[in-house]
Amino acid sequence: MTQAADNRTDLSPETGAGIIGVHHVTKRFPGVIAVNDVSLTIHPGEVHVLLGENGAGKSTLVGILAGLQEPDEGHLTLNGRQTRLASPADSLEAGISTVFQHSMLVPTLTVLENLTLGAPWYQRPPRARIEARMAELQREFALSLPLDAVTGELSLGQQQQIEIARALLRDSRVLILDEATSMLTPQGAQELGARMQKLVQSGLAVIFITHKLAEAYRFGHRISVLKQGALAGQMGPEQLGAMTEDQAVDEIVRLMFGRESGAGTAEQRQSSARDETLLRVEGLSTQGDADVLGLADVSLSLRAGEILGVAGIDGNGQKQLAEALAGQRPLTAGRVELEGADITGASVAQRRRRGLRYLTDDRLEEGSIAAFPISENTVLKDIGQPPFWVNGVERPSRIAQHARDLIAKFNVYTPGETTPIGRLSGGNIQKVLLGRELSGEARVVVFNKPTYGLDLQNIEASRRRIAEIAGRGMGVILISTDLDELMALSDRIAVMEGGRIRGVVKNDGSGEALRLRIGRMMAGEEEREEQPAPDERKETTA
Amino acid sequence: MSGLLTEAFLSSLLTGAIVAAIPMLLAGLGEQMSEKAGVLNIGIEGMMLMGAYLGFFVAYETSSLWMGFLGGMLGGALVAVVMAVLCVWLGLNQIVIGIGLTLGAEGLTALLHHFQFSRTYPRLPAPERLDIPGLTDLPVIGPSLFGRHLIVYLAVLAVIVLAALYRRTNLGMTLRAAGERPAALDVAGGNVLGIRVVAVLFTGAMAGLGGAYLANIGAGLFIPFMTGGAGFIGIVLAMLARGRPLWVLIGALIFGAALSLTTALQVAGSNIPTDVIQMLPFAAVMLVLVLFGRRAKLPSALAASYERGAR
Ligand SMILES: Nc1ncnc2c1ncn2[C@@H]1O[C@H](COP(=O)(O)OP(=O)(O)OP(=O)(O)O)[C@@H](O)[C@H]1O
Ligand SMILES: [Mg+2]
């Protein structure tokens, strides 16, 4: 390998000794330039935040550093020496650990096995060593994991913890976190921020990708903004240090979107709730096991035009609730009524036809078929139904037209409707699924973390759409770990903890006081308000 | 019916079951590893046949059964090399290539046999047996269970060794990762193509050994197309066994018993029509599939080739 003699001139404006240098790197995919002549220096002892809209090229850059992809042009340096990272093994060897945006765990393996993945096949799993190291991680970073649980049965938030733990176990010099906080609660994100500070203090470099600008300011020492593949700007430690959070956010928004901050904290929306009850859920319970919580006696009601927020720390039964409502999870007790009709025993398809829609948070596994074109994915839940199928015959032109409308309406960034959905960036996949769920005669829409992984503009747009849906008289159940989102949109907020509803509060606009009340319930404190009468039939233990 | 339950009948039933089960067991164990790693090896029938041919040829030329077994493993592995190059490295369709390899091996072995032996079917001398004093003298089960060639015990030992490897080393986890989510193994620094190649070659060698057993011990001679679907039954066994080698053994014994019942009933001269009797093994396959087909849980990335960084 040749020593790059000219690497000094190659480095980005504020140079110094970097662990990793990215030099004029360009990466193209058919139809897009994902990364366009980007140069960056990653310094030890710094959290380097990468920001950018959906599709800006952040994950592609991560892929290049992780050895998944090689640049078409430009090169990388490690400690000043030109290097090729031709495979993930090379990247790990170079001391770079990556937590990818999309889960890189094997769902059928146990947590322990996922932690040891990649070890030589003839060795025995180093259980004792891992246990000892996990104990350390628990002390230092408050990370604890059920080592023998099957990974696929854990919540996405817990799965992300496994990936973070795996990266930490590797003793690397550079840690890359691609949207690692998207699955975490505000408190979880705060903890991760503290972990990152500890890591950089010990001399590591962290590359941190997020869509949350406040996180970028609070956790980051240096911020780089990507726009359509190119580096749109960078703020170094001195510059950031001289700014207040508001100033920094304004500057970032200007770099990202080329306009002044209009995002800010959203105003609370005007309620559009009417008296008519759309959905009534009584005493819903599901089977739980050691790793997946069951629902216990969940009762809710939802009126037309109302948005019912569901708050809670990730993994407290929100996903199970959404799946039970969508008909994807068997019930052990309870009753679900949609517009007065009992749909407790109705199948997924029947519920959908009656107007109950569910937008999953698991976009790639459950929500879409990655290899299918966008067009097919937009009608995935209407297979065999008119107008896309007539007498059992598919009408490709209608499907294509429908998909093109959806792409235009929801602002999906893609070369065309024939592109396989798996090629889109995370946020753009979400937009397609959102469009799919809102088509046709929807009555009640269940959203599970609808804005997770979206950039600011798309978050705003999605929230506007959710408000519109309610405005048109549909009922919305909005599951989110983002309290600001819930407080901006919901009429009432139900708080889930340990598989049960701890309480339902009216979103009365009391701001900080309400936040504290909700926070208390999220931590398991009881609070009851305008709950349906407690159900006497059940003898669940409190 | 009491006439059927003679010592001779039961003894030949048990003997036949084991002779028929061993090739399916070996093929099933091989296929199991390959499926775990995400490669659906439909070429296994061809690998078995190549193993039978080469195994017989080597044993015939060297007058050594052990050299014959080695030759059989080599023959199966040779076909597997083609599969590894085309399907694992180049990512071609595993089903198309698998069918092609089976058809190709059928033709090739028939042709080679014809060149060498023309229309004659020379026999190998009867294999030496491993007599275990005391045990072999037991009635009924003695000669059928304990008077067998050493390779039979090695095959059963392979079940135990594989089960231990899957459970106690990282092998099982690495294979499953390659078959379930190869990208996850790749980014963890594992070698997806490497482990898949190893699994395919192992399958070839095991299937080849099974073929050699079929020719050298089971029949004592080579006949074109002699595997008669034993490799395909190996695929069924692997799919039903859910990754557990012991279940492959149990399945192989059930199918082996069904096959041997056919001959045993004919030997016993029962008055059931032969057509019905000869249907038995196939009925057994269907029955087992109906009863246990739902057990089959296949890896998510089975039969899908892996390309790094593709979305
Ligand atoms: N393997 C691939 N094949 C084809 N196109 C790709 C591939 N990987 C990325 N792209 C395209 O490159 C562009 C950048 O994608 P990337 O995933 O890097 O965006 P991102 O900044 O991470 O966005 P998000 O915030 O939505 O995750 C997108 O237009 C995407 O569709
Ligand atoms: Mg991304």
Side-chain angles (χ1 to χ4, degrees):
Chain A
M1 224 136 280
T2 52
Q3 174 110 27
D6 60 341
N7 66 29
R8 293 243 154 250
T9 55
D10 262 356
L11 296 178
S12 65
E14 292 147 86
T15 45
I19 301 188
I20 303 180
V22 175
H23 303 268
H24 299 291
V25 163
T26 295
K27 179 77 196 172
R28 301 185 186 87
F29 293 111
V32 268
I33 305 181
V35 175
N36 191 357
D37 192 23
V38 168
S39 299
L40 290 174
T41 308
I42 309 299
H43 301 272
E46 270 185 20
V47 175
H48 193 136
V49 182
L50 277 185
L51 293 170
E53 277 188 274
N54 293 135
K58 305 177 297 291
S59 297
T60 307
L61 200 55
V62 168
I64 289 171
L65 293 176
L68 277 180
Q69 254 132 14
E70 287 206 77
D72 294 331
E73 283 162 31
H75 65 269
L76 304 176
T77 54
L78 258 172
N79 294 322
R81 313 188 64 187
Q82 186 169 339
T83 326
R84 271 187 69 201
L85 299 176
S87 70
D90 282 358
S91 170
L92 292 170
E93 183 70 24
I96 303 172
S97 279
T98 310
V99 176
F100 292 88
Q101 183 175 5
H102 298 296
S103 166
M104 282 295 178
L105 299 172
V106 184
T108 50
L109 295 183
T110 64
V111 174
L112 180 74
E113 286 172 323
N114 268 304
L115 289 175
T116 42
L117 206 60
W121 67 266
Y122 45 84
Q123 286 178 0
R124 301 194 52 169
R127 188 180 178 105
R129 211 193 70 221
I130 298 258
E131 270 175 354
R133 294 282 280 122
M134 281 306 297
E136 264 173 53
L137 286 187
Q138 171 146 31
R139 248 180 290 120
E140 273 180 66
F141 297 116
L143 262 178
S144 79
L145 293 169
L147 286 185
D148 292 312
V150 175
T151 307
E153 288 167 6
L154 302 181
S155 76
L156 293 178
Q158 279 171 300
Q159 295 191 22
Q160 204 166 40
Q161 300 232 332
I162 302 174
E163 302 211 57
I164 292 171
R166 183 164 72 179
L168 292 179
L169 285 176
R170 284 191 190 123
D171 290 323
S172 36
R173 294 183 295 162
V174 180
L175 177 65
I176 305 179
L177 301 169
D178 193 351
E179 299 198 24
T181 52
S182 53
M183 278 291 155
L184 302 179
T185 54
Q187 195 209 354
Q190 204 60 50
E191 280 169 10
L192 184 67
R195 270 175 217 149
M196 289 195 293
Q197 299 311 324
K198 273 196 187 166
L199 288 172
V200 294
Q201 272 159 25
S202 64
L204 265 79
V206 175
I207 301 177
F208 180 63
I209 293 176
T210 182
H211 284 296
K212 297 177 189 144
L213 307 190
E215 276 179 6
Y217 175 79
R218 275 183 226 141
F219 306 155
H221 301 104
R222 186 185 296 275
I223 295 178
S224 296
V225 178
L226 288 176
K227 191 171 178 182
Q228 289 174 7
L231 192 64
Q234 199 176 62
M235 286 184 268
E238 313 80 36
Q239 202 184 343
L240 274 176
M243 284 181 179
T244 65
E245 179 165 342
D246 287 344
Q247 287 169 331
V249 167
D250 279 351
E251 174 64 7
I252 295 167
V253 169
R254 200 184 56 76
L255 288 173
M256 281 174 73
F257 303 109
R259 64 173 168 92
E260 288 306 318
S261 168
T265 34
E267 285 288 294
Q268 196 182 331
R269 111 182 200 287
Q270 281 296 314
S271 173
S272 52
R274 293 194 249 122
D275 262 351
E276 161 201 1
T277 299
L278 275 184
L279 184 76
R280 188 186 294 282
V281 175
E282 272 168 44
L284 213 60
S285 302
T286 66
Q287 188 68 49
D289 59 42
D291 299 307
V292 181
L293 267 179
L295 293 179
D297 198 14
V298 169
S299 298
L300 292 170
S301 72
L302 178 70
R303 285 172 297 158
E306 182 184 39
I307 298 181
L308 174 65
V310 178
I313 297 171
D314 195 36
N316 275 277
Q318 296 99 316
K319 186 166 180 70
Q320 290 88 314
L321 173 63
E323 288 180 347
L325 290 176
Q328 295 176 0
R329 185 171 278 272
L331 303 181
T332 50
R335 179 180 159 86
V336 184
E337 242 176 50
L338 181 67
E339 300 187 283
D342 185 358
I343 58 162
T344 313
S347 69
V348 177
Q350 284 165 342
R351 289 175 198 227
R352 182 173 162 81
R353 265 198 303 278
R354 281 173 176 272
L356 181 65
R357 305 293 168 84
Y358 165 43
L359 194 85
T360 176
D361 61 339
D362 195 359
R363 291 167 211 156
L364 274 183
E365 289 294 308
E366 182 185 328
S368 63
I369 302 180
F372 279 22
I374 295 173
S375 55
E376 300 281 340
N377 272 291
T378 62
V379 294
L380 215 51
K381 292 191 175 173
D382 303 301
I383 290 179
Q385 310 282 327
F388 307 119
W389 273 261
V390 175
N391 300 325
V393 182
E394 185 177 322
R395 292 302 178 87
S397 60
R398 289 189 192 172
I399 296 177
Q401 186 55 47
H402 172 71
R404 278 194 297 271
D405 291 348
L406 190 150
I407 287 169
K409 192 166 158 209
F410 287 84
N411 223 340
V412 182
Y413 184 52
T414 167
E417 79 277 1
T418 50
T419 306
I421 197 168
R423 295 238 177 98
L424 300 187
S425 72
N428 281 302
I429 296 176
Q430 176 75 328
K431 289 190 232 166
V432 174
L433 301 190
L434 192 62
R436 179 177 74 198
E437 289 315 312
L438 294 186
S439 60
E441 295 284 303
R443 295 299 297 137
V444 171
V445 188
V446 180
F447 289 97
N448 195 2
K449 299 192 206 142
T451 55
Y452 132 70
L454 299 192
D455 63 48
L456 271 184
Q457 264 184 339
N458 284 312
I459 288 178
E460 253 186 279
S462 299
R463 289 184 183 163
R464 239 188 348 262
R465 278 183 209 111
I466 292 172
E468 259 169 47
I469 302 169
R472 279 189 274 146
M474 291 175 235
V476 172
I477 293 187
L478 174 63
I479 299 174
S480 178
T481 46
D482 184 346
L483 260 186
D484 291 322
E485 175 166 283
L486 292 173
M487 288 171 60
L489 288 173
S490 319
D491 295 286
R492 289 178 302 146
I493 298 174
V495 186
M496 286 197 81
E497 193 273 327
R500 43 181 73 234
I501 301 274
R502 283 296 161 192
V504 182
V505 296
K506 209 173 163 57
N507 188 8
D508 51 11
S510 57
E512 209 48 34
L514 184 68
R515 186 187 295 270
L516 287 178
R517 266 171 80 198
I518 294 175
R520 265 199 306 278
M521 282 191 274
M522 276 161 68
E525 312 266 321
E526 209 69 38
E527 156 140 10
R528 298 246 151 192
E529 190 177 297
E530 55 163 348
Q531 269 281 84
D535 210 330
E536 305 294 341
R537 292 169 294 144
K538 306 239 356 140
E539 70 270 29
T540 38
T541 48
Chain B
M1 288 298 277
S2 65
L4 279 181
L5 298 175
T6 59
E7 196 170 306
F9 173 79
L10 288 178
S11 180
S12 76
L13 179 67
L14 209 54
T15 309
I18 289 170
V19 171
I22 295 299
M24 295 189 280
L25 169 66
L26 291 169
L29 289 176
E31 181 74 24
Q32 183 171 52
M33 182 178 289
S34 157
E35 281 180 18
K36 267 178 194 269
V39 183
L40 182 61
N41 191 343
I42 295 191
I44 192 169
E45 181 82 10
M47 295 173 192
M48 212 168 177
L49 207 50
M50 189 57 86
Y53 171 75
L54 212 62
F56 172 77
F57 179 69
V58 171
Y60 182 75
E61 293 293 330
T62 62
S63 312
S64 155
L65 276 180
W66 289 106
M67 290 307 287
F69 290 137
L70 220 61
M73 291 174 82
L74 198 72
L78 274 177
V79 182
V81 168
V82 181
M83 172 119 200
V85 170
L86 294 182
C87 296
V88 181
W89 269 327
L90 299 179
L92 301 186
N93 186 300
Q94 295 172 8
I95 294 175
V96 173
I97 299 295
I99 294 174
L101 285 180
T102 293
L103 294 178
E106 281 179 353
L108 187 64
T109 50
L111 198 68
L112 287 173
H113 181 266
H114 184 77
F115 272 139
Q116 251 144 8
F117 304 107
S118 195
R119 291 268 155 69
T120 62
Y121 298 97
R123 279 189 162 276
L124 294 177
E128 78 272 22
R129 322 205 132 184
L130 187 74
D131 279 315
I132 304 168
L135 292 177
T136 320
D137 303 330
L138 293 172
V140 187
I141 59 162
S144 35
L145 283 190
F146 300 105
R148 318 246 49 101
H149 190 270
L150 181 60
I151 195 80
V152 172
Y153 309 103
L154 290 182
V156 176
L157 187 67
V159 173
I160 299 165
V161 171
L162 281 172
L165 277 180
Y166 290 153
R167 185 173 311 208
R168 294 187 190 285
T169 69
N170 291 331
L171 176 66
M173 153 192 116
T174 309
L175 287 167
R176 266 159 71 202
E180 202 67 43
R181 193 168 280 183
L185 179 60
D186 195 19
V187 301
N191 184 345
V192 176
L193 299 193
I195 192 83
R196 284 186 168 186
V197 165
V198 168
V200 169
L201 295 185
F202 176 79
T203 310
M206 289 296 270
L209 182 61
Y213 178 91
L214 201 66
N216 296 351
I217 310 268
L221 75 173
F222 178 82
I223 314 167
F225 309 110
M226 72 183 299
T227 48
F232 293 131
I233 294 187
I235 298 180
V236 173
L237 289 176
M239 287 188 168
L240 291 176
R242 277 203 159 184
R244 305 262 304 272
L246 184 64
W247 280 100
V248 178
L249 175 63
I250 293 170
L253 286 174
I254 293 174
F255 284 131
L259 277 171
S260 107
L261 197 59
T262 329
T263 13
L265 282 176
Q266 280 164 335
V267 170
S270 80
N271 46 15
I272 307 168
T274 41
D275 293 334
V276 174
I277 295 176
Q278 280 173 347
M279 235 169 53
L280 266 177
F282 304 100
V285 170
M286 288 207 265
L287 186 73
V288 168
L289 278 178
V290 168
L291 288 180
F292 303 108
R294 283 199 302 180
R295 274 181 59 88
K297 167 135 183 6
L298 302 178
S300 319
L302 187 63
S305 60
Y306 176 66
E307 191 195 337
R308 175 179 295 156
R311 276 209 203 173

